[in-house]
């Protein structure tokens, strides 16, 4: 950022459509604070601050490059913390951690295309976890008074199983889905979740439990309630409505995190990264000098 937040904001807008910079305030202050050098002045005068570039020996002003203050390895370490919080059931804290990582990626400077691809993959992981955790938190807050309430709860649990999670977390989502669908007497769909869970190789006691449920479901392979969920028809999830967008339907995306939205949400602030405008045309992320060579 080189001590110029205005330039950083312009670049983030051009590259990934950032229009709300409030969530970036703490990151900007952190980066500027780590990059500043304090130069003491004469007595009774305030000190001066400078932002030395990382290529100190290049005398051409136009070639100066900002120093690196956010490292890819540090973000990968933070990702492990997010995984741990998810395993512990601290979903709100985990979502905040993944969100912090997601916002940090556009501020990276990497040297190779391999590192760039790893950074993009890191953004995808954070996107999937934030989306899934937001759905799970919303599901837990829903009322359970009516059949329609129960149906919606089951839908959100089913959608969560289609987020790209680590196997240990995917198994947790599948166990929840099996339990909810079995209680709703949607035995056919419950059986499909049980099979997916068994295929992941869970612990022996969980595998035994799933096989028993699967056997019971196969005796009556029907669904008592109709849900907006078709596991055989490929879909992506709308991050605003938490509804499936099936293949062939129109879709808008966030230019930063690439999460999907129904067309009516174009122009809104993304609910996943919370900074970019949905559907905005941008030039794309630029974090590697060798990116387009």
């Amino acid at each position: 950022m080189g001590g110029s937040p205005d330039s950083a904001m312009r670049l983030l807008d051009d590259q990934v459509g950032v229009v709300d910079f409030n969530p970036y305030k703490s990151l900007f202050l952190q980066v500027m604070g780590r990059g500043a050098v304090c130069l003491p002045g004469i007595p009774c005068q305030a000190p001066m601050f400078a932002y030395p570039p990382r290529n100190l020996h290049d005398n051409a002003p136009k070639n100066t490059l900002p120093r690196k203050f956010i490292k890819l390895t540090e973000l990968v370490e933070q990702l492990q913390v997010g995984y741990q919080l998810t395993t512990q059931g601290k979903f709100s804290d985990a979502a905040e951690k993944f969100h912090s990582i997601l916002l940090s990626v556009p501020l990276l400077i990497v040297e190779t295309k391999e590192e760039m691809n790893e950074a993009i993959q890191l953004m995808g992981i954070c996107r999937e976890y934030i989306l899934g955790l937001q759905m799970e938190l919303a599901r837990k807050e829903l009322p359970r008074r009516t059949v329609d309430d129960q149906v919606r709860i089951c839908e959100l649990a089913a959608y969560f199983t289609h987020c790209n999670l680590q196997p240990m977390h995917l198994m947790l989502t599948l166990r929840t889905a099996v339990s909810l669908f079995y209680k709703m007497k949607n035995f056919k769909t419950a059986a499909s979740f049980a099979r997916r869970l068994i295929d992941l190789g869970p612990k022996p006691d969980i595998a035994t439990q799933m096989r028993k449920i699967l056997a019971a479901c196969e005796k009556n392979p029907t669904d008592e309630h109709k849900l907006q969920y078709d596991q055989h028809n490929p879909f992506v999830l709308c991050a605003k409505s938490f509804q499936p967008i099936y293949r062939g339907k129109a879709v808008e995306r966030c230019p930063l995190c690439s999460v999907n939205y129904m067309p009516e949400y174009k122009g809104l602030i993304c609910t996943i990264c919370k900074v970019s405008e949905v559907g905005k045309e941008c030039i794309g992320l630029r974090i590697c000098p060798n990116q387009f060579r």
Side-chain angles (χ1 to χ4, degrees):
M1 201 161 63
S4 178
D6 291 338
S7 297
M9 288 189 287
R10 187 188 71 253
L11 290 171
L12 287 172
D13 183 17
D14 292 342
Q15 293 179 15
V16 290
V18 176
V19 294
D20 184 357
F21 290 93
N22 286 323
Y24 265 112
K25 182 177 180 179
S26 61
L27 268 175
F28 278 11
L29 292 174
Q30 177 186 346
V31 170
M32 290 182 66
R34 293 172 68 179
V37 174
C38 181
L39 304 174
I42 61 176
C44 301
Q45 295 295 320
M48 296 178 292
F49 292 90
Y51 297 88
R54 70 175 185 269
N55 54 338
L56 287 171
H57 302 293
D58 193 331
N59 295 323
K62 65 179 182 179
N63 295 331
T64 57
L65 299 172
R67 297 174 65 189
K68 300 179 184 178
F69 300 105
I70 299 177
K71 297 180 180 179
L72 183 59
T73 53
E74 294 176 350
L75 297 185
V76 172
E77 291 174 359
Q78 293 181 34
L79 180 67
Q80 300 304 316
V81 176
Y83 286 157
Q84 293 173 6
L85 291 170
T86 303
T87 303
Q88 295 167 3
K90 300 177 180 179
F91 295 154
S92 295
D93 293 339
E96 290 180 6
K97 176 59 67 175
F98 290 123
H99 183 249
S100 174
I101 299 169
L102 182 61
L103 293 188
S104 298
V105 171
L107 303 182
L108 281 173
I109 301 172
V110 297
E111 300 298 334
T112 67
K113 290 185 178 181
E114 288 75 17
E115 289 178 325
M116 184 194 71
N117 291 334
E118 185 178 354
I120 293 174
Q121 182 183 19
L122 185 62
M123 292 180 68
I125 293 171
C126 292
R127 176 193 67 233
E128 293 294 305
Y129 269 85
I130 296 171
L131 175 60
L133 293 172
Q134 284 185 355
M135 284 194 296
E136 182 66 4
L137 290 169
R139 182 185 70 82
K140 291 185 175 183
E141 293 179 356
L142 289 176
R144 301 170 181 266
R145 294 186 293 270
T146 66
V147 173
D148 288 342
D149 293 338
Q150 297 290 338
V151 165
R152 182 56 177 161
I153 287 172
C154 285
E155 287 176 346
L156 291 178
Y159 302 153
F160 196 7
T161 71
H162 288 268
C163 292
N164 189 11
L165 310 178
Q166 292 292 299
M168 60 179 176
H169 299 140
L170 182 56
M171 284 191 280
L172 294 174
T173 68
L174 287 167
R175 288 184 67 183
T176 299
V178 168
S179 175
L180 290 172
F181 276 74
Y182 189 84
K183 292 177 181 177
M184 285 286 288
K185 298 182 179 180
N186 277 37
F187 301 123
K188 182 180 179 180
T189 308
S192 70
F193 292 131
R195 292 190 193 96
R196 288 176 59 192
L197 180 50
I198 292 171
D199 289 342
L200 290 174
K203 294 180 179 180
D205 57 331
I206 297 175
T208 299
Q209 180 188 26
M210 289 300 109
R211 291 191 181 95
K212 290 180 179 178
I213 293 175
L214 180 58
C217 291
E218 289 177 340
K219 293 179 180 178
N220 183 20
T222 60
D223 286 338
E224 185 168 308
H225 302 280
K226 183 176 178 58
L227 279 72
Q228 191 175 352
Y229 172 66
D230 182 358
Q231 60 179 320
H232 302 296
N233 189 0
F235 66 87
V236 294
L237 287 167
C238 174
K240 179 68 174 179
S241 65
F242 298 147
Q243 298 286 357
I245 307 172
Y246 290 101
R247 181 179 293 177
K249 299 293 184 180
V251 63
E252 296 289 343
R253 291 184 175 86
C254 169
L256 194 160
C257 66
S258 298
V259 76
N260 300 283
Y261 288 89
M262 293 178 175
E264 56 261 38
Y265 299 116
K266 182 177 181 179
L268 298 182
I269 300 295
C270 175
T271 58
I272 300 301
C273 68
K274 302 178 182 178
V275 294
S276 292
E277 179 183 326
V278 175
K280 186 173 183 178
E281 294 292 332
C282 302
I283 62 175
L285 189 64
R286 304 287 195 267
I287 59 174
C288 178
N290 301 321
Q291 192 167 347
F292 303 102
R293 292 180 183 175

